PDB file of all heavy atoms in Angstrom:
ATOM      1  N   PHE A 315      -5.468  13.314   9.938  1.00  0.00           N
ATOM      2  CA  PHE A 315      -4.858  12.043   9.636  1.00  0.00           C
ATOM      3  C   PHE A 315      -5.337  11.469   8.203  1.00  0.00           C
ATOM      4  O   PHE A 315      -4.321  11.124   7.404  1.00  0.00           O
ATOM      5  CB  PHE A 315      -5.188  11.042  10.722  1.00  0.00           C
ATOM      6  CG  PHE A 315      -4.374   9.717  10.677  1.00  0.00           C
ATOM      7  CD1 PHE A 315      -3.353   9.469  11.590  1.00  0.00           C
ATOM      8  CD2 PHE A 315      -4.565   8.723   9.651  1.00  0.00           C
ATOM      9  CE1 PHE A 315      -2.711   8.177  11.601  1.00  0.00           C
ATOM     10  CE2 PHE A 315      -3.741   7.560   9.562  1.00  0.00           C
ATOM     11  CZ  PHE A 315      -2.889   7.299  10.554  1.00  0.00           C
ATOM     12  N   ILE A 318      -3.799  13.565   5.289  1.00  0.00           N
ATOM     13  CA  ILE A 318      -2.328  13.324   5.113  1.00  0.00           C
ATOM     14  C   ILE A 318      -2.168  11.872   4.515  1.00  0.00           C
ATOM     15  O   ILE A 318      -1.300  11.820   3.614  1.00  0.00           O
ATOM     16  CB  ILE A 318      -1.572  13.400   6.456  1.00  0.00           C
ATOM     17  CG1 ILE A 318      -1.799  14.890   6.974  1.00  0.00           C
ATOM     18  CG2 ILE A 318      -0.114  13.018   6.259  1.00  0.00           C
ATOM     19  CD1 ILE A 318      -1.209  15.136   8.278  1.00  0.00           C
ATOM     20  N   LYS A 363      -0.884  11.530  15.545  1.00  0.00           N
ATOM     21  CA  LYS A 363      -0.536  12.416  14.359  1.00  0.00           C
ATOM     22  C   LYS A 363       0.253  11.599  13.387  1.00  0.00           C
ATOM     23  O   LYS A 363       1.225  10.876  13.741  1.00  0.00           O
ATOM     24  CB  LYS A 363       0.200  13.651  14.874  1.00  0.00           C
ATOM     25  CG  LYS A 363      -0.479  14.426  15.921  1.00  0.00           C
ATOM     26  CD  LYS A 363      -1.685  15.172  15.194  1.00  0.00           C
ATOM     27  CE  LYS A 363      -2.191  16.109  16.340  1.00  0.00           C
ATOM     28  NZ  LYS A 363      -3.542  16.808  15.770  1.00  0.00           N
ATOM     29  N   LEU A 364       0.047  11.835  12.225  1.00  0.00           N
ATOM     30  CA  LEU A 364       0.673  11.199  11.010  1.00  0.00           C
ATOM     31  C   LEU A 364       1.826  12.017  10.562  1.00  0.00           C
ATOM     32  O   LEU A 364       1.639  13.266  10.297  1.00  0.00           O
ATOM     33  CB  LEU A 364      -0.219  10.857   9.920  1.00  0.00           C
ATOM     34  CG  LEU A 364       0.159   9.842   8.839  1.00  0.00           C
ATOM     35  CD1 LEU A 364       0.597   8.472   9.527  1.00  0.00           C
ATOM     36  CD2 LEU A 364      -0.811   9.613   7.763  1.00  0.00           C
ATOM     37  N   VAL A 365       3.044  11.515  10.417  1.00  0.00           N
ATOM     38  CA  VAL A 365       4.235  12.223   9.939  1.00  0.00           C
ATOM     39  C   VAL A 365       4.903  11.605   8.748  1.00  0.00           C
ATOM     40  O   VAL A 365       5.582  10.612   8.940  1.00  0.00           O
ATOM     41  CB  VAL A 365       5.310  12.267  11.135  1.00  0.00           C
ATOM     42  CG1 VAL A 365       6.545  13.202  10.717  1.00  0.00           C
ATOM     43  CG2 VAL A 365       4.604  12.888  12.374  1.00  0.00           C
ATOM     44  N   PRO A 366       4.651  12.130   7.569  1.00  0.00           N
ATOM     45  CA  PRO A 366       5.245  11.594   6.399  1.00  0.00           C
ATOM     46  C   PRO A 366       6.548  12.351   6.098  1.00  0.00           C
ATOM     47  O   PRO A 366       6.720  13.558   6.362  1.00  0.00           O
ATOM     48  CB  PRO A 366       4.190  11.781   5.301  1.00  0.00           C
ATOM     49  CG  PRO A 366       3.460  13.054   5.639  1.00  0.00           C
ATOM     50  CD  PRO A 366       3.601  13.132   7.296  1.00  0.00           C
ATOM     51  N   ARG A 385       7.353  18.713   9.430  1.00  0.00           N
ATOM     52  CA  ARG A 385       6.029  18.138   9.713  1.00  0.00           C
ATOM     53  C   ARG A 385       5.983  17.643  11.104  1.00  0.00           C
ATOM     54  O   ARG A 385       5.056  17.831  11.906  1.00  0.00           O
ATOM     55  CB  ARG A 385       5.666  16.997   8.753  1.00  0.00           C
ATOM     56  CG  ARG A 385       4.556  16.114   9.174  1.00  0.00           C
ATOM     57  CD  ARG A 385       3.190  16.941   9.405  1.00  0.00           C
ATOM     58  NE  ARG A 385       2.175  16.172  10.128  1.00  0.00           N
ATOM     59  CZ  ARG A 385       1.124  16.594  10.629  1.00  0.00           C
ATOM     60  NH1 ARG A 385       0.851  17.911  10.410  1.00  0.00           N
ATOM     61  NH2 ARG A 385       0.305  15.718  11.265  1.00  0.00           N
ATOM     62  N   GLY A 591       5.365   7.681   9.665  1.00  0.00           N
ATOM     63  CA  GLY A 591       5.362   7.226  11.041  1.00  0.00           C
ATOM     64  C   GLY A 591       4.261   8.049  11.804  1.00  0.00           C
ATOM     65  O   GLY A 591       3.554   8.853  11.213  1.00  0.00           O
TER      66      GLY A 591
END
Side-chain angles (χ1 to χ4, degrees):
F315 193 110
I318 295 174
K363 301 290 185 181
L364 196 59
V365 181
R385 166 59 195 167

